[in-house]
Amino acid sequence: MHGTGKLMSTKSMESLDKLRFYELTLQERGNYLRQETSLTEDDIDALSGLSGLTAAAADKMVENAIGVFALPIGIAQNFVINGRKVWVPMVVEEPSVIAGASFMARLARSGGGFFASSDEPLMIGQMQILETKDPFKARDVLIQHGSELLAEAAGFDPVLTEMGGGPRELDVRLIDQSPIGPFPVLHIIMDVRDAMGANAVNTACERLAPRVEALTGGRVHLRILSNLADRRLARAHIAIPVKELAFDDYSGEQVRDGIIEAWAFAAADPYRAATHNKGIMNGVDAVVMATGNDWRAVEAGAHAYAARHGVYTSLSTWGRSADGALTGSLEMPMAVGIIGGSTRVHPGAKAAVKLLGVKTARELAEIIVSVGLAQNLAALRALATEGIQRGHMTLHARQVAVAAGAEGAWIDRVADRMVAEKTIRIDRAEEILKELKAK
Ligand code: MEV
C-alpha cells in the first residue's frame, strides 16, 4: 500500500484512543501501520492484497490449485495483553467482529487489559492397538517399557530435540467399550515448541508403531494426532470496573448482571452454548486464519473441550468480583504455531505474525484466547442489552448497498437510508440508489 496518506505521529495509548482508525482510508491505514509498527511496505502490501499469496505459491500448497481466494483482513485495536499493546490482524467475512473486539478490548483496558497464560506446547499422538490377545496385558507391557519407547521416539526428530522439544510422556488408556470391543490406546505426549505440531506427532506415532506391535503382539491401526489438545491450553482473564460498562440508558450494574445471566444460559444449555462458543470462535478463528494456522484443528479442539465433562457447555466463565467488577475468563486448547505449515509460506500470514510481535507459539495462543474472550463479551453485551441487530445492521446494509451496485460515497448514503428505514434488502437498495442518483 504505497502513497502519501495522512500520517499520524501519535504513540501513546491516550492518543490512540482519539485516533479513529476506521475513519481512515485503506491507504491511510496502511501508512499508519507502517509508521507505528514494525511492518514494512512489503508487509503492508502482503496484507492489503497488493502482493501476498500468489497462484504459483498456492500451487505448491494444495493439489489441483486454480488460484487464490481472498477474504477481508482488518486490525483490531486497543488490545493490551499482559501489559503489552498488540495490533491484532483478523481475517473474517462477518461484519461487526473486528469492531466488537476493538471496542471490548478498550473496555478491558480500563481494568488493566487481558491477563493471559498458556501451558507448555504439548500435543498428544494416539496409537490404536488392535488384535492383542489380552488388552490388559498389552497395557501393562507398554507401561513397563515406557522409558525405552520414549527414548526411541526422542531420536526421530533431532531438530525438535535440539530446540528443546520432543517426546515427554506416554499414557496408556484402555477403551473398554467400543463397537469392536475393548482395545488399548497409547498416547505419546510431545513438546512441539513453536510448531502446531501435527507433523512431528504423526511422524512419531508412525515410526513408533512397529516397536509397539513387537511389544504387545498386536497391530497398531490408527497413528495420528488428537485435536483435543487438552495439554496445551491457553487462558485469558479480564476484570472491567462496573462503571465502565454503563451506556445509553443502561447502568453498569444492569450490563454486568445481564452478561452474567446470558453466560448462565450457555453454561446450562448446549443449544445456547453452541452459539455462545461460536461467538468466541468468531474472534479465535479470525486470528488463527490471519496467522496461517489450521482453524479446523482449533475448532475441533475447542468443541471437544467444551464437552469434556460429558455435556457441551460454555468455554468462558463470567462473574463479578468483590468490588463489583465484571470478571470474565476463557480457557481452551490452542494448537497454533509460528513455524511450519503455511505460517512461513504465506506472505500475509508472515506479516500478520510480525505485526503481533510474538516470538513463541505460546504468546500467539495467549493473544488468540484474549481475542476470543473480547469477542464473547461483545456478543453478550449486545445480546444482554440492545440486541445484536443494531450493530450488525449498518455493516450489513453497506454490504447490501455494494451488492445493489453502489460505489464510493454512495455506499454509505444508501446504507444509512436503509438503516433509518429498518429495511435492509437489495431491491430497496437499488431503488434508493436510483432515487439518490436522480437527485
Ligand atoms: C454471531 O456470529 C455470534 C453470536 O451469535 C454469538 C452469541 O450469540 O453469543 C452473536
Side-chain angles (χ1 to χ4, degrees):
M1 184 161 308
H2 308 269
T4 53
K6 199 168 35 174
L7 288 183
M8 283 127 214
S9 57
T10 46
K11 281 240 164 21
S12 70
M13 228 163 255
E14 287 71 28
S15 48
L16 275 176
D17 258 350
K18 287 185 204 101
L19 169 76
R20 292 173 188 269
F21 194 68
Y22 66 91
E23 284 179 342
L24 304 180
T25 63
L26 279 166
Q27 191 174 71
E28 286 168 341
R29 289 183 200 136
N31 284 336
Y32 182 83
L33 287 178
R34 190 154 48 81
Q35 185 173 315
E36 294 293 321
T37 73
S38 58
L39 293 189
T40 61
E41 201 155 288
D42 284 348
D43 296 325
I44 306 281
D45 287 351
L47 291 170
S48 70
L50 260 187
S51 60
L53 190 68
T54 60
D59 198 27
K60 301 279 177 287
M61 289 170 78
V62 301
E63 306 72 33
N64 301 347
I66 57 165
V68 293
F69 181 90
L71 281 171
I73 180 165
I75 305 290
Q77 292 186 281
N78 308 321
F79 274 86
V80 174
I81 302 172
N82 293 337
R84 184 171 76 87
K85 178 173 164 38
V86 186
W87 298 86
V88 183
M90 298 177 78
V91 168
V92 64
E93 86 299 342
E94 186 175 327
S96 301
V97 168
I98 299 171
S102 302
F103 185 22
M104 296 307 120
R106 202 169 70 192
L107 277 185
R109 228 167 62 187
S110 65
F114 296 81
F115 300 92
S117 63
S118 55
D119 297 338
E120 292 289 331
L122 297 178
M123 295 297 285
I124 300 167
Q126 297 193 289
M127 281 166 266
Q128 180 193 23
I129 308 164
L130 301 179
E131 295 161 22
T132 57
K133 283 210 188 77
D134 179 344
F136 292 92
K137 249 201 191 131
R139 183 179 60 177
D140 291 346
V141 170
L142 289 171
I143 292 171
Q144 276 160 25
H145 291 80
S147 2
E148 187 186 313
L149 286 165
L150 271 182
E152 182 165 341
F156 297 156
D157 193 337
V159 178
L160 182 60
T161 312
E162 213 167 275
M163 283 168 21
R168 291 284 181 267
E169 226 180 279
L170 292 179
D171 185 18
V172 196
R173 298 170 53 230
L174 194 72
I175 308 283
D176 51 9
Q177 279 188 346
S178 91
I180 54 162
F183 55 85
V185 174
L186 178 62
H187 279 194
I188 179 164
I189 293 127
M190 294 186 58
D191 183 325
V192 296
R193 294 285 91 200
D194 291 318
M196 184 273 185
N199 279 331
V201 171
N202 292 339
T203 303
C205 289
E206 290 190 3
R207 292 192 55 188
L208 205 57
R211 183 85 188 111
V212 171
E213 288 180 338
L215 286 169
T216 59
R219 171 173 68 87
V220 175
H221 191 46
L222 299 199
R223 298 148 297 169
I224 185 77
L225 163 110
S226 168
N227 285 123
L228 176 49
D230 61 0
R231 306 287 293 259
R232 196 180 190 180
L233 303 176
R235 51 196 78 77
H237 173 82
I238 49 175
I240 305 178
V242 68
K243 67 174 182 358
E244 302 290 337
L245 294 167
F247 73 100
D248 292 353
D249 292 336
Y250 299 98
S251 71
E253 286 77 9
Q254 270 174 323
V255 177
R256 177 197 63 202
D257 297 345
I259 289 169
I260 297 171
E261 287 159 0
W263 160 73
F265 187 6
D269 175 33
Y271 284 94
R272 172 59 204 150
T275 324
H276 176 99
N277 290 342
K278 190 273 183 183
I280 292 172
M281 300 312 285
N282 276 345
V284 167
D285 285 342
V287 189
V288 171
M289 286 176 73
T291 54
N293 274 288
D294 180 346
W295 76 94
R296 285 89 56 214
V298 175
E299 280 279 345
H303 299 294
Y305 191 68
R308 67 196 178 283
H309 299 307
V311 182
Y312 186 88
T313 187
S314 163
L315 284 165
S316 63
T317 307
W318 292 93
R320 52 179 288 181
S321 64
D323 64 357
L326 172 73
T327 58
S329 59
L330 171 64
E331 180 181 70
M332 58 187 288
M334 196 53 69
V336 289
I338 57 167
I339 57 169
S342 61
T343 43
R344 283 282 163 93
V345 179
H346 191 301
K350 254 167 64 178
V353 170
K354 184 173 171 187
L355 178 63
L356 286 165
V358 292
K359 297 280 175 286
T360 64
R362 286 178 67 177
E363 280 178 79
L364 175 59
E366 289 165 12
I367 291 174
I368 294 173
V369 81
S370 301
V371 179
L373 184 61
Q375 210 69 60
N376 186 213
L377 176 61
L380 296 188
R381 177 184 170 278
L383 288 167
T385 55
E386 61 194 7
I388 208 78
Q389 283 307 89
R390 196 176 130 191
H392 268 225
M393 262 212 311
T394 313
L395 283 158
H396 175 55
R398 281 200 204 139
Q399 283 182 348
V400 173
V402 172
E407 283 173 6
W410 296 107
I411 298 170
D412 279 350
R413 282 181 214 157
V414 174
D416 289 348
R417 266 278 288 278
M418 284 195 292
V419 171
E421 291 176 3
K422 293 195 166 65
T423 308
I424 320 275
R425 281 201 328 256
I426 190 156
D427 57 329
R428 184 63 194 135
E430 282 164 359
E431 280 167 18
I432 296 171
L433 186 61
K434 229 193 230 159
E435 264 173 53
L436 290 176
K437 283 197 169 169
K439 276 190 199 157

